[in-house]
Amino acid sequence: GCAPGIPDVPCNGRQHIDDMPIVACLVLSVTSKPASRDFVRNTYGGECDDLRFYVAHNDGGRHEEWDVTNLGPIFPKMLLDDSSAPKLVKVSHKRLHALIHVGDTLSTVSPGQWYCILDDDTLFVPQNFRRLVLERGWTPDEPIYAGARMFWLKHTYGVVFNFGPAVCLSRAAVERLVPVLRSASYIPPF
């Protein structure tokens, strides 16, 4: 069959079940909010091909749920969830480190072709994103960013991408972005 579960997407010879876009949902959370993670798991999480949550604290020995990655021990210099930094800065910092982690584990852990970075209070519909990918004819081998751009952030934080509350990147975009993120300064702009 063609594009199962996505009505009105015509078959053009390449949109078969095996060719459905593979979507990894990367959800930013905080350690103290397990109810938010349960909400995601019980709503759209099952529609993601890969579902991961990211927290950032300094207790590397704390037991986490199987689908939760604690970025704190992996990136010792990053801002933690309980940092006194402004919330926007902490969330942006976590997004960027989650992307680096995804880039580092791309070939070994994640089967994703598309990586959607989401807040834990954002409702995301993976099937709608798959439909967008199919209708636009996007491939994961093209560097594609699907999300809002806020050019005023360039003057404040040096970036033009909003990265929230939902942004999706192709595998090629993640592969190109990770070396840039790795070379970025840890000197916060606040």
Side-chain angles (χ1 to χ4, degrees):
C2 296
I6 305 179
D8 304 324
V9 175
C11 286
N12 63 11
R14 67 180 184 96
Q15 295 162 341
H16 296 281
I17 293 172
D18 294 339
D19 293 333
M20 288 299 290
I22 299 171
V23 178
C25 299
L26 314 173
V27 183
L28 304 182
S29 187
V30 293
T31 307
S32 62
K33 292 173 64 176
S36 296
R37 292 189 291 277
D38 287 339
F39 172 78
V40 171
R41 289 182 192 109
N42 295 324
T43 56
Y44 68 84
E47 295 295 319
C48 301
D49 296 297
D50 184 14
L51 175 63
R52 291 191 238 172
F53 296 92
Y54 289 94
V55 298
H57 56 80
N58 60 9
D59 184 2
R62 186 183 306 178
H63 173 71
E64 299 289 356
E65 297 137 298
W66 67 274
D67 54 358
V68 175
T69 299
N70 178 9
L71 296 170
I74 300 168
F75 301 103
K77 289 192 212 173
M78 78 172 286
L79 295 172
L80 303 177
D81 290 337
D82 61 359
S83 163
S84 62
K87 183 178 180 181
L88 174 65
V89 174
K90 288 190 295 190
V91 171
S92 296
H93 213 240
K94 189 186 295 183
R95 279 183 207 291
L96 300 177
H97 283 85
L99 282 168
I100 293 171
H101 183 262
V102 166
D104 289 348
T105 61
L106 214 58
S107 61
T108 58
V109 176
S110 181
Q113 296 174 333
W114 299 92
Y115 298 89
C116 298
I117 302 101
L118 312 159
D119 288 343
D120 63 2
D121 60 355
T122 298
L123 182 62
F124 179 68
V125 183
Q127 285 297 78
N128 285 351
F129 179 71
R130 288 184 183 98
R131 180 184 185 130
L132 175 69
V133 168
L134 292 172
E135 286 185 346
R136 300 267 173 113
W138 292 345
T139 72
D141 300 322
E142 301 171 84
I144 294 174
Y145 167 93
R149 292 178 292 172
M150 301 180 111
F151 291 104
W152 63 268
L153 286 174
K154 178 180 180 186
H155 304 292
T156 309
Y157 297 105
V159 297
V160 296
F161 302 108
N162 182 0
F163 281 119
V167 165
C168 296
L169 299 165
S170 66
R171 181 182 56 236
V174 171
E175 288 170 348
R176 288 178 67 179
L177 181 60
V178 168
V180 174
L181 295 177
R182 283 211 168 284
S183 68
S185 170
Y186 264 91
I187 300 170
F190 54 89

